[in-house]
Amino acid sequence: MDVVNQLQRQFIDYSASLHREGFLDDQFTQLQKLQDDNSPDFVVEVASLFFEDCEKLINNMARALEQQQGVDFKQVDASVHQLKGSSSSIGAMRVKDVCIAFRSFCEAQNREGCLRCLQQVTHEYSLLKNKLQTLFRLQQQILAAGGSIPVVE
Amino acid sequence: MVLKLQQSHHHQSVAVKGNEQMGTKRGYTFIQSNRDWLPKLILLWVMVMGFISTWIYKKMDADNNVRREEVLSSMCDQRARMLQDQFSVSVNHVHALALLVATFHYYKNPSAIDQETFAEYTARAAFERPLLSGVAYAERVVHSGREKFEKQHGWTIKAMQREPSRLRDEYAPLIFSQETISYIESLDMMSGEEDRENIVRARATGKAVLTSPFRLLGSHHLGVVLTFPVYKSKLPPKPTMEERIVATAGYLGGAIDVESLVENLLGQLAGNQAILVNVYDITNSSDPLVMYGHQNQDGDWAVVHESKLDFGDPFRKHQMICRYHQKAPTSWTALTNVFLFFVICLLVGYILYGAVIHIVKVEDDFREMQELKVRAEAADVAKSQFLATVPHEIRTPMNGMLALLLDTDLSSTQRGYAQTAQVCGKALITLINEVIDRAKIEAGKLELETVPFNIRSIFDNVLSLFSEKSRNKGVEVSRDKTNRKPSLAVFVSDKVPEMVMGDLGRFRQIITNLVGNSVKFTERGHIFVKVHLAESTQPVADTKVETCLNGGSDEGLLISSACQFKTGYEAADERNSWDSFRHLVVDEELRYDAPVNTIDEASRGITLMVSVEDTGIGIPLIVQDRVFTPFMQADSSTSRNYGGTGIGLSITKCLVELMGGHISFISRPQVGSTFSFTTVFKRCNKASYNDTKKSIVELPSGFKGLKAIVVDGKPGKQNGHVFKLPKVILLAKNITNVELEKAKAAGFADTVIMKPMRASMAAACLQQVLGIGKKRQAGKDMLNGSPVLHGLLCGKKILVVDDNMAHQRVFAGALKKFGAAVECRESGKAALKLLQLPCCFYACFMDIQMPEMDGFEATHPIRMMESKANEQMNGGMDEDSGRKGEWHVPILAMTADVIHATYDECLKCRMDGCVEAL
């Protein structure tokens, strides 16, 4: 029981820190609330969808921005928009924030800025992926230990 | 930051637009464009008017002078004529004398006249010649006859110097003379230069001749001598000069005193004083000789009139010159007139100038105002947009903060602080929500929805909400037993239909605001909410009443205690007080069996009249007219005693007006306030009613026909709720678990109802006690979704269209949570396939921004399809045209930015609404 408690405490602390540091926002909490017995892996499912989406989009953008001349900013913008939508639907706040800046560079057709933002997005994305994976690991541990995942307010 | 930049940019653009507008509007008026010329113009005006005035004066003066001249000339002519007449009279007399002498001295032989006779006759006839100082007769004596003549008369002929005359060809010694001038007898007239000339001329012409004027010997007056020839024999007709000279026998002469003559004459005439008269002999035109008047006398030389005088002597010319004694007097009338004219012109000029200046000023002011107005409007727009946008940005992080505040383990002090912070934060969010509302209303973005809802449930909910708060308040206050917390009650007229169509949320907000205010400001007494149809308000007795704290058909019967339901506090508006309520109840009992009036069933609008009465502190008279102004509170101290922003009532007013009603209030300080408002709802048609009936938390109607007795020990508080059936329900205000156990142990009650009593709670208790099964299955483990929502979505098929997988998944998850059966599609095209008719989807959520086919594009063919299908169907059954639009899948757009609203666009594309998604 102690182990479960400890894990639960750890889980709460960790997700609080994620919130505090701005990786996640209220939307993620909502997602956690949506998870119930009917769909036990809801959050993980959504997250993995998000990761796939992200990788695909980041690759797209990287390819589009590789060209020295004649970058198709419209396409990049569409990708960024998608990424922004995805990140906000999962509550990845920092990714979303970078996306907002990214879009303004796209509108300005600033390749330098776009590249910088792409870098940032990639960075934020990998960070978030790590953090979430850690979080999910914790969740699994809790479940494995027979505890329930605490609801974070 | 980006947002702020946008804001300021927008503001500027608005201002610039305003300026451009001003520029085009600046149609310079004539006055405006010539405003610099105004002082010069007025100066010019004054000068022109001065000239005109002078000209007018001169004209009038000239007219005056002409008149003066006319007067002078007429006077002068008159005088001249009279003088001439008198003179000719005198001449005629001398002529007559001459004839006398001729007749009696020469034609008679011997002569019938001697000196004596002549003197006597002339003396006696002197009255006829008032002007002649005397007359005398001189005989013509040639040199050869001198001696004979001297001998005959006995004296020698003397010259004028009284000495014997020198030798001449001819002599003219005086032989007869009037006594007055007898001293010149025997003088030779030919010896005087003047006289001789006279004599020569007289005998040549046979007419009276005159000498030039000279001073007369006796009187020293100016005068002339008149000489007339006397002929010896009768002259032939038209005699020659020689014949005349030869025939000449002598000369009759007389001195005329012209000065006296004129003096007399003038004395007889009026206006003598005004004019000066001079008479001149102008025979020698270069040297006029004065006959009368002083040459140097002062007078007005400006106006002179000359009249010719004819004294009968062809050799001499005379004239009369008249002039005014005094200069022409200044014409005061003309001067006054002109002056007045000038003054009037000046005034007119000044008035015009003033008017023009005023116009210029007003126009300037107007322009300035317009500029300010444009600026103010721009500022207002900017403010509204700022308010519409920024609170959203504040609200989100605020929620995050509040959520995290109490998450971790905190020490008690920390927890206390954190709790305070949370309370403050919640208050802040409430405020922000209010501001958003207000801003939305101002920006015109607040849309009212129309959904069917149960009025009684709303009031029930609101009551429960405030009973909670009121209880908390009561706990503190009720330590002092005399100071009771206010009782809270709702009364809904029987005539009010159960279900109406309207904006549930906003109606609830209005009620909450008003009741909230009442609760806030009321320490004791009651808060009483009354609802009835607006049409039936006038005659109190007409209101059919039946429910108090009850759901629609839940007929509780209030007996005698209801009569004492008064809490002993006066209300501001007597019409609505507990007193009248009592009447209502009694009346209701009397008319219990009366048929329910259903006349306005046909009219689809329902006007509800809701009044909220409290016995609170009331509103001070001076601030009553500002009650609905935003952020206005009675005063700062009130603000301190009772928190709040003061925005609530203004929002309430806006909402009420949006809902087609109006709000008013009656308030008496320290007595209480009664807020009343009307709203217009649509009547709920049966179809939608049935549709939603399940989903609404409704009050069970299982109690119809049951009779209950409410027993309450003290007025206003029902303490026991006794049923006809032997079931007892305990009503308690605050009950601890211990007490509850005690009560249960005593077998007193089957259950406990917390006060204040609410219909739903009462119903629930009654159900529990009576064993009436609940039909509604409670959704298990519901999150923040309300049971209403659950009921609404449960089992419904819903389509979610979004190309973003993660998003789609999340949305679907949320909808599934509420029991909906969710289908997902990634594109508009795929959705179209699914939505082919006949389709079975309850609703469709569609992302706006999708590749290939976006939400708007996808909606269009769906709508086309539906309308076609509907037309076909309606074509088949004309008589049932009331039920149009059989096919209509509600399509809701999902978008990230609802503020810069695509909302209108959504409606344009015939979507049904817009969801603010991520």
Side-chain angles (χ1 to χ4, degrees):
Chain A
M1 213 49 176
D2 249 6
V3 181
V4 173
N5 263 347
Q6 205 180 344
L7 281 170
Q8 280 180 340
R9 168 69 36 83
Q10 214 175 335
F11 177 79
I12 288 170
D13 283 349
Y14 192 68
S15 58
S17 80
L18 285 181
H19 277 281
R20 198 165 48 242
E21 286 162 28
F23 285 105
L24 297 173
D25 65 10
D26 195 36
Q27 180 65 23
F28 190 75
T29 320
Q30 297 286 339
L31 284 186
Q32 283 175 323
K33 282 182 189 167
L34 285 175
Q35 182 166 296
D36 58 10
D37 298 344
N38 294 338
S39 50
D41 290 332
F42 181 70
V43 178
V44 180
E45 205 179 313
V46 171
S48 54
L49 270 172
F50 170 66
F51 292 147
E52 275 170 35
D53 207 20
C54 266
E55 269 157 33
K56 196 179 77 205
L57 289 169
I58 285 173
N59 282 339
N60 279 353
M61 287 188 285
R63 249 202 314 281
L65 285 171
E66 255 169 30
Q67 270 113 30
Q68 288 294 331
Q69 237 103 47
V71 179
D72 187 358
F73 281 105
K74 222 171 228 175
Q75 196 210 324
V76 179
D77 188 50
S79 300
V80 179
H81 180 62
Q82 279 238 332
L83 186 57
K84 188 186 147 208
S86 303
S87 52
S88 59
S89 70
I90 202 173
M93 202 153 80
R94 283 166 69 153
V95 180
K96 190 183 89 181
D97 287 347
V98 178
C99 284
I100 291 170
F102 203 157
R103 285 199 77 180
S104 62
F105 281 121
C106 279
E107 270 167 43
Q109 310 227 326
N110 183 345
R111 186 165 167 273
E112 290 300 306
C114 283
L115 282 173
R116 212 163 43 240
C117 279
L118 183 64
Q119 222 170 359
Q120 273 181 35
V121 165
T122 321
H123 176 65
E124 288 291 343
Y125 160 68
S126 51
L127 260 179
L128 181 69
K129 192 172 181 180
N130 277 334
K131 301 248 173 194
L132 281 181
Q133 273 164 354
T134 315
L135 192 72
F136 294 151
R137 235 189 341 270
L138 266 173
Q139 252 178 12
Q140 273 166 356
Q141 280 170 6
I142 292 169
L143 289 173
S148 65
I149 297 161
V151 177
V152 183
E153 264 306 321
Chain B
M1 199 57 196
V2 173
L3 180 81
K4 263 187 189 170
L5 279 174
Q6 276 176 349
Q7 285 292 330
S8 66
H9 178 73
H10 185 78
H11 176 99
Q12 270 175 358
S13 76
V14 168
V16 167
K17 207 195 274 177
N19 280 340
E20 281 167 5
Q21 207 177 0
M22 290 291 301
T24 51
K25 264 190 188 173
R26 189 170 285 212
Y28 275 117
T29 59
F30 175 74
I31 295 173
Q32 274 295 345
S33 54
N34 294 309
R35 54 190 303 172
D36 294 339
W37 285 90
L38 287 180
K40 288 172 191 168
L41 271 179
I42 184 79
L43 202 69
L44 188 69
W45 170 265
V46 169
M47 280 165 69
V48 165
M49 284 307 126
F51 279 130
I52 290 178
S53 305
T54 321
W55 180 76
I56 289 173
Y57 175 73
K58 282 195 173 150
K59 179 121 173 63
M60 290 178 84
D61 203 38
D63 283 350
N64 251 5
N65 274 346
V66 166
R67 217 172 308 124
R68 223 160 100 93
E69 253 170 58
E70 278 168 7
V71 169
L72 183 69
S73 68
S74 76
M75 279 168 88
C76 201
D77 286 343
Q78 187 193 11
R79 277 158 181 70
R81 208 165 45 246
M82 288 183 74
L83 184 62
Q84 214 171 290
D85 288 348
Q86 294 224 344
F87 202 90
S88 61
V89 166
S90 297
V91 171
N92 285 345
H93 277 284
V94 175
H95 196 171
L97 264 182
L99 291 178
L100 181 91
V101 171
T103 310
F104 289 99
H105 191 59
Y106 294 108
Y107 301 165
K108 296 268 196 237
N109 206 3
S111 165
I113 301 175
D114 57 359
Q115 162 64 25
E116 219 169 307
T117 325
F118 187 83
E120 193 182 343
Y121 175 76
T122 49
R124 287 175 69 175
F127 67 91
E128 288 195 300
R129 311 174 298 271
L131 305 176
L132 271 71
S133 46
V135 286
Y137 176 71
E139 197 174 45
R140 185 188 184 199
V141 179
V142 292
H143 188 64
S144 55
R146 180 178 172 174
E147 271 177 65
K148 185 187 165 194
F149 178 80
E150 281 179 345
K151 268 187 203 150
Q152 191 183 342
H153 284 279
W155 38 262
T156 55
I157 299 168
K158 294 183 199 99
M160 283 296 174
Q161 289 77 26
R162 304 263 168 195
E163 64 209 22
S165 173
R166 281 169 296 139
L167 292 183
R168 289 167 183 273
D169 292 350
E170 222 176 308
Y171 307 94
L174 285 173
I175 51 172
F176 306 138
S177 65
Q178 207 177 334
E179 256 176 312
T180 49
I181 51 164
S182 56
Y183 52 89
I184 59 165
E185 200 180 357
S186 79
L187 287 184
D188 176 13
M189 286 296 129
M190 292 293 254
S191 61
E193 190 69 21
E194 293 267 324
D195 290 330
R196 199 180 59 175
E197 196 183 313
N198 245 17
I199 287 165
V200 171
R201 276 196 295 131
R203 72 181 179 199
T205 57
K207 287 185 177 166
V209 294
L210 300 171
T211 58
S212 55
F214 63 97
R215 297 235 166 244
L216 294 178
L217 289 176
S219 61
H220 292 285
H221 287 167
L222 277 173
V224 289
V225 172
L226 172 75
T227 310
F228 219 87
V230 178
Y231 298 104
K232 268 188 275 202
S233 55
K234 288 194 174 121
L235 285 172
K238 291 187 184 170
T240 60
M241 204 160 69
E242 283 74 25
E243 282 173 331
R244 283 182 194 276
I245 292 170
V246 171
T248 303
Y251 323 97
L252 193 74
I256 295 179
D257 185 346
V258 179
E259 208 168 328
S260 331
L261 172 70
V262 179
E263 206 84 50
N264 271 347
L265 185 78
L266 295 182
Q268 286 165 18
L269 287 170
N272 193 23
Q273 302 298 321
I275 60 171
L276 278 175
V277 176
N278 279 11
V279 181
Y280 295 97
D281 180 341
I282 52 159
T283 313
N284 182 359
S285 57
S286 61
D287 179 26
L289 299 167
V290 181
M291 283 174 80
Y292 172 76
H294 303 281
Q295 189 77 35
N296 301 324
Q297 211 164 5
D298 291 336
D300 182 15
W301 284 99
V303 187
V304 175
H305 184 81
E306 297 178 359
S307 298
K308 278 247 151 126
L309 286 175
D310 180 15
F311 289 148
D313 180 351
F315 294 100
R316 292 209 172 265
K317 287 178 190 155
H318 298 91
Q319 74 172 9
M320 181 182 264
I321 292 180
C322 303
R323 61 184 202 269
Y324 280 104
H325 225 306
Q326 278 152 354
K327 297 222 162 165
T330 330
S331 172
W332 287 110
T333 9
L335 210 59
T336 319
N337 286 349
V338 167
F339 181 71
L340 284 180
F341 174 76
F342 186 64
V343 165
I344 287 169
C345 285
L346 273 191
L347 285 179
V348 166
Y350 180 75
I351 288 166
L352 285 177
Y353 182 72
V356 166
I357 288 288
H358 189 69
I359 288 171
V360 166
K361 197 171 173 307
V362 165
E363 276 183 359
D364 281 354
D365 286 356
F366 170 71
R367 202 144 287 160
E368 201 180 332
M369 291 290 176
Q370 234 178 4
E371 222 162 289
L372 289 178
K373 186 182 153 244
V374 166
R375 256 190 261 164
E377 277 170 356
D380 194 49
V381 167
K383 185 209 81 183
S384 290
Q385 281 182 343
F386 179 78
L387 280 182
T389 338
V390 168
H392 285 283
E393 311 293 323
I394 302 172
R395 193 163 53 166
T396 320
M398 230 13 229
N399 278 326
M401 277 161 56
L402 293 182
L404 294 178
L405 259 180
L406 296 169
D407 268 358
T408 45
D409 276 343
L410 298 170
S411 70
S412 60
T413 326
Q414 283 171 329
R415 182 159 285 276
Y417 289 163
Q419 269 166 350
T420 314
Q422 196 175 29
V423 168
C424 293
K426 275 180 181 161
L428 191 53
I429 283 183
T430 316
L431 170 59
I432 288 167
N433 284 338
E434 281 176 345
V435 169
I436 290 174
D437 273 346
R438 173 89 210 158
K440 271 187 181 169
I441 291 167
E442 260 178 29
K445 279 185 185 149
L446 193 84
E447 301 286 336
L448 292 180
E449 52 183 355
T450 310
V451 295
F453 65 92
N454 187 324
I455 291 176
R456 288 167 179 83
S457 311
I458 296 273
F459 283 104
D460 193 46
N461 280 341
V462 175
L463 195 71
S464 73
L465 182 72
F466 284 105
S467 62
E468 196 73 29
K469 286 188 184 173
S470 161
R471 189 154 42 227
N472 293 341
K473 195 170 177 177
V475 172
E476 287 164 18
V477 179
S478 64
R479 293 210 179 104
D480 177 6
K481 292 277 180 193
T482 55
N483 212 355
R484 289 274 161 218
K485 74 186 176 70
S487 53
L488 198 57
V490 180
F491 167 78
V492 183
S493 162
D494 194 20
K495 273 190 172 179
V496 177
E498 206 172 326
M499 301 291 290
V500 292
M501 301 275 283
D503 193 326
L504 178 143
R506 297 301 172 184
F507 183 63
R508 195 191 153 97
Q509 193 180 358
I510 296 170
I511 304 289
T512 313
N513 264 338
L514 291 180
V515 175
N517 262 357
S518 289
V519 168
K520 189 159 74 179
F521 293 112
T522 307
E523 296 287 346
R524 63 223 165 128
H526 63 259
I527 294 155
F528 178 39
V529 184
K530 198 168 80 169
V531 188
H532 42 73
L533 289 180
E535 299 92 85
S536 57
T537 50
Q538 298 90 349
V540 169
D542 269 7
T543 327
K544 292 215 56 170
V545 196
E546 147 282 330
T547 48
C548 176
L549 309 173
N550 276 338
S553 50
D554 189 7
E555 299 196 339
L557 189 62
L558 291 160
I559 53 169
S560 60
S561 65
C563 301
Q564 294 153 13
F565 209 51
K566 239 173 114 180
T567 48
Y569 293 101
E570 211 182 343
D573 184 7
E574 284 80 4
R575 279 183 295 143
N576 199 28
S577 70
W578 283 108
D579 276 337
S580 59
F581 176 70
R582 187 180 60 194
H583 291 303
L584 293 180
V585 174
V586 171
D587 187 62
E588 127 73 17
E589 279 189 53
L590 290 174
R591 289 167 163 247
Y592 187 68
D593 294 325
V596 176
N597 202 350
T598 54
I599 29 165
D600 57 356
E601 200 69 44
S603 61
R604 299 186 60 81
I606 304 169
T607 308
L608 282 190
M609 172 96 177
V610 182
S611 51
V612 179
E613 172 192 301
D614 66 52
T615 55
I617 58 166
I619 302 165
L621 292 173
I622 41 163
V623 293
Q624 284 197 0
D625 51 348
R626 300 184 307 203
V627 161
F628 293 117
T629 318
F631 302 107
M632 195 62 79
Q633 286 218 321
D635 61 15
S636 53
S637 73
T638 315
S639 202
R640 238 171 276 132
N641 286 342
Y642 312 93
T645 57
I647 201 174
L649 276 177
S650 84
I651 292 173
T652 305
K653 186 173 197 289
C654 290
L655 288 176
V656 166
E657 278 163 6
L658 266 177
M659 291 168 87
H662 52 86
I663 187 163
S664 64
F665 68 94
I666 296 172
S667 181
R668 281 198 284 159
Q670 307 309 323
V671 172
S673 318
T674 303
F675 281 82
S676 315
F677 69 92
T678 57
T679 52
V680 181
F681 290 121
K682 275 197 218 146
R683 217 166 259 284
C684 189
N685 57 359
K686 283 286 180 276
S688 56
Y689 172 74
N690 288 332
D691 212 22
T692 52
K693 194 165 185 181
K694 288 165 266 168
S695 62
I696 304 285
V697 180
E698 63 181 33
L699 296 162
S701 53
F703 305 112
K704 202 160 195 167
L706 292 180
K707 297 218 170 190
I709 301 169
V710 180
V711 181
D712 196 335
K714 66 187 146 60
K717 301 279 174 273
Q718 293 130 306
N719 252 341
H721 197 156
V722 186
F723 259 86
K724 217 164 91 179
L725 302 163
K727 301 273 184 189
V728 177
I729 298 169
L730 183 67
L731 281 117
K733 201 188 297 166
N734 291 302
I735 197 155
T736 59
N737 280 338
V738 185
E739 278 173 326
L740 181 64
E741 290 306 316
K742 228 191 264 173
K744 277 204 171 161
F748 179 74
D750 295 279
T751 187
V752 174
I753 299 177
M754 297 293 270
K755 279 181 68 177
M757 197 166 111
R758 291 192 295 121
S760 61
M761 209 188 278
C765 285
L766 293 172
Q767 276 172 341
Q768 187 190 337
V769 171
L770 298 170
I772 298 169
K774 279 192 191 176
K775 273 177 277 171
R776 187 166 54 81
Q777 69 280 32
K780 49 172 179 173
D781 191 20
M782 270 177 238
L783 318 153
N784 43 354
S786 66
V788 178
L789 202 51
H790 190 275
L792 199 68
L793 293 177
C794 189
K796 296 278 165 26
K797 270 182 89 177
I798 291 173
L799 179 64
V800 175
V801 187
D802 199 329
D803 61 315
N804 190 325
M805 288 305 290
H807 196 179
Q808 187 194 84
R809 190 77 188 80
V810 171
F811 205 83
L815 286 172
K816 273 179 189 158
K817 203 76 205 173
F818 296 116
V822 185
E823 289 260 2
C824 297
R825 283 297 176 272
E826 280 92 64
S827 73
K829 277 187 177 165
L832 262 181
K833 271 178 211 152
L834 263 185
L835 285 170
Q836 291 297 334
L837 292 173
C839 80
C840 47
F841 284 103
Y842 183 68
C844 172
F845 288 89
M846 201 174 298
D847 189 18
I848 288 180
Q849 283 177 313
M850 284 187 294
E852 277 184 271
M853 179 185 266
D854 70 17
F856 295 137
E857 287 170 24
T859 308
H860 189 63
I862 296 171
R863 290 290 179 242
M864 292 287 287
M865 202 163 64
E866 281 172 355
S867 57
K868 208 184 273 176
N870 289 337
E871 259 171 45
Q872 281 169 1
M873 211 162 60
N874 287 337
M877 34 187 205
D878 276 338
E879 69 278 4
D880 199 13
S881 55
R883 294 188 50 164
K884 265 185 189 166
E886 200 69 32
W887 296 108
H888 186 94
V889 177
I891 298 177
L892 298 158
M894 293 191 288
T895 172
D897 50 355
V898 94
I899 298 157
H900 297 297
T902 40
Y903 184 71
D904 290 339
E905 221 171 315
C906 292
L907 291 187
K908 224 183 278 168
C909 290
R910 299 175 61 199
M911 288 182 166
D912 298 84
C914 191
V915 181
E916 189 175 354
L918 307 149

